[in-house]
Amino acid sequence: MCGIVGYIGKRDAYPIILNGLKRLEYRGYDSAGIALYDGSEIQLCKTKGKVADLEAKVSKEMPTKGNLGIGHTRWATHGIPNDVNSHPHFSNSGNLVIIHNGIIENYTSIKKELINRGYIFYSDTDTEVLVNLIEDVKKNENVKLGKAVQIALNQVVGAYAIAVYDKNKPDEIVVAKLGSPLAIGIGDDEFFIASDASPFIEFTNNAIYLEDEEMAIIRLGREINIRKIKDDSLVAPYIQELQLNLEQIEKGGYDHFMLKEIYEQPSVIQDTFRGRLLADKGIIRLGGLEDYIEKFVNADRIIIVACGTSWHAGLVAEYIFEDWARIPVEVEYASEFRYRNPVITEKDVVIAISQSGETADTLAAVKLAKEKGAFVYGICNVVGSTISRATHSGTYTHAGPEIGVASTKAFTTQITVLTMIALKLAKVKGTISQSDYMLHLRELDLIPSKVSTALDKNDSIIEIAKIFKDATNFLYLGRGYNFPVALEGALKLKEISYIHAEGYPAAEMKHGPIALIDEQMPIVVIAVNSNHYDKVVSNIQEIKSRKGKIIAVVTEGDTIVRELADYIMEVPYTPETLSPLVTTIPLQLLSYHIALMLKRNVDQPRNLAKAVTVE
Ligand code: M6R
């Protein structure tokens, strides 16, 4: 994980790098650092803590002059978060300085070798090993920095996005990528380097996204020189125009990105439909799907691979694909799938779901499925992300940047895309009646306004949050389409409030979790209109007779559950098949308010990072 930023040009590098780090802090936030070239020396400042702590330290300790620099915000992999392990790292001579996002897996053996050659290590990191390896190669082979980076990277195993410069060559930064993202912003004789485009969006709309196993020598006054790390062959730069704007990556008056992103759901779901869902005409048009529809229609199975919240979206998809399109679906944790020697054939379609499009396990699952001959379809949010490029085809969710570590709008837009795919397939296969098809298209079109209505209940959810904020355990129960929503509700609560929470299919309660229920235990039950409504009511009765506290998500106008539950959170009526798109809203708000009341860092919960680019 980690975020990296760099600048070389005519402007002051410090404010650009500092602001860039603030924008990338979602990627890791246990320590931060910066290395500026001031015209003769490298000024370096780093600290355990957040970018704000770095800013405070720099203001006391470091001159901020200079037009060349690199910065880093860290999510620790090797070595605890402390000042010494923070990036950037110097080489032993003090000439080279590096930032790194990723893991060098064989760093121990390289470190031993370098120690034998007299190198001294001050940190526990794999990154310090890499910068000294580059230095060693540069010295022994008598080559320039770019060549030394290339030779060194051919000796390492692992993942990286790196930026490195030499104080004796201060018109050049060398970058390289394998497995971790790296974007280069192209200005007017100035260059920006970052893990994503957000740090430089106000300066340029032109960017190059390096591909895996590529490196670039970025030199002032020259064209960017991109090469394959393996064989040194030249790569023609492909400059993309960015779609991002500044407003999208700011909080826009909300206290937290998470709250902003929860409230953006009506509009981003609409964006996900735009030009794709023509409800009145009965048309669903998904660019990435049209050319490959036969692959889906003739598939023996659909296998969905994902992690975390995206995996929960996959579970919802299992219900809708099987229900409407009658295609068998398996939903796999990408991290298990990739190591399991799974049986996959050319008749399988694999769907990879990932907000960031960078999750290491999901990416590895994509590569494995491709190797085994499956057709692989990506559902990603981040345009141009590694997974979106690694798949054969796919659909973007168009949710806009999701910066809060807890996924919210990514989840509902993923379900929106998956719902459109399922309806389209059902229509093509003839497994859905015309009336059902048209009904669901129209209902899907109404979802943004129903999500708005669900959001309007925020005040009553704040009252419930006040009552349960000190609970130490929560259970979340749901059946059918709303079982994955129960899992997602529990994940949201635990990741941002640090309260233990478990999601279960409501009927499984009797097989164990019921033992947990006592008068203190809040149980969130999703009890909206559905084929299982009566059964959920029975589950609620069972909880009630054990004195558990019931917080029920109910359909507006419900009377039965309202009578039984201690507290209710209302959502508008939707057909059961689409209900996860609205039932998830009160659960997101409940988690947010509880975390806020407990004074948690809502956008950057402890130990987590937004893009999990390490396995
Ligand atoms: O970017 P991805 O969708 O691949 O990320 C997958 C998970 O890391 C992510 O959903 C994670 O579980 C979130 N923190 C959940 O809110």
Side-chain angles (χ1 to χ4, degrees):
M1 280 127 26
C2 309
I4 64 170
V5 189
Y7 176 77
I8 181 166
K10 296 181 204 105
R11 299 174 207 254
D12 279 346
Y14 178 66
I16 295 170
I17 294 170
L18 188 77
N19 281 335
L21 290 179
K22 286 180 181 167
R23 290 187 192 153
L24 290 182
E25 210 171 10
Y26 71 88
R27 303 181 61 86
Y29 35 81
D30 58 41
S31 37
I34 193 158
L36 285 178
Y37 178 70
D38 69 3
S40 59
E41 288 302 321
I42 296 172
Q43 301 289 342
L44 186 140
C45 183
K46 53 190 192 173
T47 183
K48 177 179 179 209
K50 305 220 168 244
V51 177
D53 299 309
L54 174 71
E55 189 174 12
K57 195 169 175 187
V58 167
S59 71
K60 285 190 220 129
E61 295 179 5
M62 194 185 97
T64 57
K65 183 177 139 239
N67 313 112
L68 161 65
I70 53 178
H72 190 269
T73 177
R74 180 171 186 242
W75 185 87
T77 56
H78 292 67
I80 57 163
N82 61 23
D83 291 2
V84 179
N85 288 333
S86 309
H87 299 213
H89 288 281
F90 273 127
S91 62
N92 273 191
S93 70
N95 289 337
L96 306 187
V97 67
I98 195 169
I99 46 175
H100 169 214
N101 167 27
I103 291 182
I104 305 301
E105 287 170 13
N106 59 339
Y107 83 106
T108 322
S109 56
I110 299 172
K111 189 172 182 176
K112 261 192 208 145
E113 187 66 29
L114 289 171
I115 288 171
N116 288 342
R117 285 194 228 156
Y119 284 84
I120 298 168
F121 290 92
Y122 302 93
S123 76
D124 305 317
T125 66
D126 49 344
T127 306
E128 197 188 8
V129 174
L130 180 59
V131 71
N132 281 305
L133 177 63
I134 295 169
E135 176 152 291
D136 193 59
V137 171
K138 191 169 178 294
K139 213 164 52 190
N140 291 334
E141 311 259 337
N142 194 19
V143 288
K144 291 185 178 159
L145 178 62
K147 191 72 194 164
V149 168
Q150 189 197 4
I151 296 170
L153 290 179
N154 274 309
Q155 296 177 28
V156 306
V157 177
Y160 49 79
I162 59 163
V164 54
Y165 71 89
D166 180 345
K167 78 167 184 191
N168 299 313
K169 193 104 188 37
D171 62 344
E172 174 183 289
I173 301 181
V174 177
V175 298
K177 165 187 160 42
L178 174 62
S180 303
L182 199 147
I184 304 168
I186 321 280
D188 192 8
D189 205 17
E190 60 178 350
F191 299 97
F192 307 81
I193 295 150
S195 300
D196 69 34
S198 62
F200 54 79
I201 193 64
E202 64 266 54
F203 302 109
T204 178
N205 271 333
N206 295 322
I208 295 172
Y209 288 90
L210 279 197
E211 297 286 345
D212 275 350
E213 302 186 336
E214 285 179 1
M215 59 178 287
I217 300 166
I218 302 168
R219 194 175 300 156
L220 284 178
R222 295 271 188 93
E223 292 261 296
I224 291 187
N225 181 331
I226 304 178
R227 292 184 174 271
K228 290 268 177 216
I229 295 167
K230 267 209 182 102
D231 59 11
D232 202 34
S233 55
L234 262 178
V235 177
Y238 170 57
I239 301 178
Q240 292 191 30
E241 197 175 328
L242 299 169
Q243 306 296 328
L244 203 65
N245 64 50
L246 200 54
E247 206 176 279
Q248 287 176 307
I249 55 169
E250 289 179 341
K251 282 190 198 147
Y254 287 92
D255 288 341
H256 296 97
F257 283 110
M258 181 184 178
L259 192 62
K260 175 185 174 227
E261 287 155 10
I262 290 173
Y263 273 89
E264 277 175 346
Q265 287 174 109
S267 67
V268 295
I269 293 173
Q270 195 72 59
D271 290 343
T272 308
F273 293 158
R274 204 175 304 286
R276 295 166 164 175
L277 173 73
L278 308 171
D280 290 345
K281 296 192 175 130
I283 293 174
I284 291 174
R285 207 167 31 209
L286 290 165
L289 187 64
E290 304 296 327
D291 289 345
Y292 299 99
I293 199 104
E294 291 304 313
K295 294 255 181 213
F296 280 86
V297 168
N298 298 322
D300 282 348
R301 310 178 279 184
I302 292 175
I303 302 168
I304 297 178
V305 291
C307 303
T309 290
S310 298
W311 183 75
H312 295 155
L315 287 179
V316 174
E318 181 175 20
Y319 286 84
I320 42 184
F321 276 89
E322 293 200 342
D323 203 355
W324 288 335
R326 307 304 298 148
I327 304 173
V329 177
E330 289 167 26
V331 187
E332 300 260 9
Y333 283 117
S335 53
E336 290 298 315
F337 177 85
R338 63 179 289 196
Y339 287 119
R340 221 194 46 220
N341 191 17
V343 179
I344 307 168
T345 73
E346 285 162 16
K347 294 271 287 171
D348 291 325
V349 167
V350 171
I351 300 180
I353 309 175
S354 174
Q355 186 287 130
S356 62
E358 302 294 344
T359 300
D361 284 321
T362 309
L363 179 60
V366 165
K367 289 180 178 163
L368 178 69
K370 277 172 83 180
E371 268 164 37
K372 296 199 176 250
F375 172 72
V376 186
Y377 199 84
I379 297 177
C380 297
N381 188 35
V382 178
V383 176
S385 54
T386 310
I387 293 171
S388 69
R389 283 180 283 131
T391 44
H392 292 114
S393 184
T395 303
Y396 285 118
T397 47
H398 294 322
E402 190 183 66
I403 292 167
V405 164
S407 222
T408 51
K409 62 177 181 171
F411 181 62
T412 44
T413 52
Q414 285 164 349
I415 295 175
T416 302
V417 165
L418 289 158
T419 303
M420 286 192 284
I421 295 175
L423 279 169
K424 173 97 189 176
L425 294 180
K427 174 82 173 129
V428 173
K429 285 188 73 184
T431 47
I432 192 169
S433 68
Q434 179 64 11
S435 58
D436 240 17
Y437 175 75
M438 287 306 292
L439 172 97
H440 280 94
L441 254 58
R442 280 195 286 267
E443 285 288 347
L444 196 53
D445 208 26
L446 294 175
I447 288 293
S449 80
K450 293 188 178 178
V451 170
S452 289
T453 309
L455 288 166
D456 289 343
K457 303 285 194 279
N458 184 45
D459 287 351
S460 63
I461 295 169
I462 293 176
E463 294 310 312
I464 298 174
K466 281 182 194 160
I467 297 164
F468 290 104
K469 70 178 180 15
D470 296 317
T472 49
N473 290 292
F474 269 73
L475 262 185
Y476 284 72
L477 303 177
R479 290 182 93 116
Y481 287 85
N482 282 296
F483 155 55
V485 176
L487 295 180
E488 175 60 9
L491 175 63
K492 267 325 60 108
L493 185 71
K494 65 187 142 194
E495 74 178 321
I496 60 167
S497 72
Y498 319 148
I499 295 173
H500 174 245
E502 295 289 342
Y504 266 96
E508 273 293 303
M509 188 182 61
K510 290 195 275 302
H511 301 283
I514 200 164
L516 296 169
I517 297 176
D518 62 16
E519 289 149 28
Q520 317 303 327
M521 180 83 159
I523 297 133
V524 179
V525 188
I526 301 145
V528 288
N529 61 284
S530 76
N531 283 337
H532 318 285
Y533 181 79
D534 292 342
K535 302 221 177 290
V536 176
V537 170
S538 305
N539 296 139
I540 291 176
Q541 299 274 21
E542 288 155 9
I543 300 165
K544 224 179 144 49
S545 50
R546 282 151 187 96
K547 300 197 166 52
K549 292 280 175 289
I550 298 157
I551 307 163
V553 179
V554 297
T555 309
E556 278 170 356
D558 176 283
T559 50
I560 300 171
V561 176
R562 180 185 290 266
E563 279 286 300
L564 294 170
D566 296 278
Y567 303 92
I568 56 151
M569 303 192 284
E570 279 187 332
V571 294
Y573 166 84
T574 50
E576 185 186 359
T577 38
L578 304 182
S579 62
L581 289 165
V582 291
T583 53
T584 197
I585 304 299
L587 306 190
Q588 293 171 347
L589 288 170
L590 183 66
S591 304
Y592 172 79
H593 290 301
I594 289 178
L596 197 64
M597 286 168 198
L598 294 174
K599 300 195 174 8
R600 305 299 190 220
N601 187 336
V602 172
D603 282 335
Q604 295 173 348
R606 68 184 180 202
N607 304 336
L608 287 170
K610 185 71 183 161
V612 184
T613 54
V614 294
E615 50 171 306

